Amino acid sequence: MCKNPVLKGTKWTAVQEMFVADAGTLTIHHSLEFTSDKDVLVGFSSYMPAHPAMYMNPDGSVDTLPAHSSEDIRPATYEYKNGKLTITVEDGSTTEYVYQEEDGTFVHEESWGEKVVFSRSKEKRLQ
């Protein structure tokens, strides 16, 4: 029997790193901020460090592409049932997370097989 995790008023985070050939490591921070018994803010931010361009200039030099980042927060609704958390954003798309009671985490499996593990954050949820 799975003990239900406390969600309302909590924030859960995950960090994902992807190696991008010839560019470096793309770092993605995910967050799930549960604001009520049915509402959640789904956050995403990414950072790519500065890296050499994939072309050479006529003089033999190589430009450096600047670092860049992006951030997005979307309101959504959620349902937790039988160890599965389903989050639905405004456009109707859903994402599923499985609760791992043994370590108190949520796991989302990406379409290519990578598992993203969300842990409960110790920081206070923004009001």
Side-chain angles (χ1 to χ4, degrees), residues 75-119:
T77 58
Y78 72 93
E79 178 181 50
Y80 180 81
K81 188 175 183 179
N82 298 325
K84 288 190 180 179
L85 172 66
T86 303
I87 294 180
T88 305
V89 293
E90 291 176 329
D91 67 4
S93 61
T94 62
T95 305
E96 286 195 351
Y97 307 79
V98 177
Y99 185 61
Q100 305 292 309
E101 187 174 10
E102 60 276 0
D103 64 0
T105 61
F106 279 103
V107 176
H108 167 68
E109 188 167 340
E110 297 282 12
S111 58
W112 58 88
E114 181 181 358
K115 292 182 179 180
V116 183
V117 179
F118 287 77
S119 300

Side-chain angles (χ1 to χ4, degrees), residues 18-37:
M18 293 184 195
F19 176 72
V20 180
D22 298 330
T25 300
L26 171 66
T27 304
I28 303 168
H29 292 267
H30 302 271
S31 66
L32 303 172
E33 193 169 343
F34 297 90
T35 58
S36 75
D37 288 329

Side-chain angles (χ1 to χ4, degrees), residues 16-29 45-54 63-70:
Q16 189 177 20
E17 292 184 334
M18 293 184 195
F19 176 72
V20 180
D22 298 330
T25 300
L26 171 66
T27 304
I28 303 168
H29 292 267
S45 65
S46 66
Y47 175 76
M48 175 63 84
H51 56 278
M54 295 178 67
D63 295 333
T64 297
L65 301 177
H68 64 276
S69 62
S70 65

